[in-house]
Amino acid sequence: MNDLMEKTLTSQEIYNGRVVHLFRDTVALPNGKEGVREVIRHPGAVCVIPVTEAGDVVMVRQFRYPFSTTLLEIPAGKMEQGEDPLDCAMRELSEETGAQASKWTELGVVYPSVAYLDEKIYIYLAHGLTFGKTHTDEDEFLHVEKYPLGTVLDMVMEGDIPDGKTQIAILKACRLLGL
C-alpha cells in the first residue's frame, strides 16, 4: 500500500476559524510529481445513540445553517483539544438531552468526508439512562424528541434522516442490537 502514499512537502494555513482550519498542502504524489491538497483540519467529534429501557432513541432536532433547515439527529458535538472521546460523549449527551448513561458501548469511528476533511467522529451507544435538565451551549437551540429504534431505522432507510453520522450510527446500533 505504500505505492499509494502521498508525502506532505509544504503546508500553508489559509484560514484559522473557531471550528475549522483550512490548509493548502503541496504533496509528492506516488508517480513522483507534485499535487495540491486543500484540507480542513477539525479537532474531532462524537455522536451518541441514547436508547431508553423502552427501546426509544433520544434524538435532537436543530437548525443546520449550511442546509437552511432543521434536521433530526442523534446527540453529537465537537471535542475540545485533548479531550477523551468518551468524556466528550458523556458531556454532549448531558448538555443536549439532560441524560446520564450507566452503560456505554463504543461503535467505532466514521470519517465523514475523506476527500478534504480530517474530522473523525467517534460513535457511542448509551444505555441505562437517567434524565435531568439540559444545559446547551449559549448559541445552541434544539428540541429533544424520542422515537422507537425501529422507527428511526425506517426513517434512515426512507431518506427522512439525511445526516450521515446519524445514519451510520443507527445502522450500527441496529445491527449490534439484532434489529
Side-chain angles (χ1 to χ4, degrees), residues 73-87:
E73 308 170 44
I74 56 175
K78 179 176 72 77
M79 292 170 41
E80 300 299 330
Q81 187 69 30
E83 186 175 25
D84 176 75
L86 180 56
D87 290 341

Side-chain angles (χ1 to χ4, degrees), residues 18 95 135-142:
R18 187 173 65 97
E95 287 177 3
H135 44 102
T136 55
D137 293 334
E138 204 171 86
D139 62 348
E140 188 174 35
F141 304 92
L142 51 83

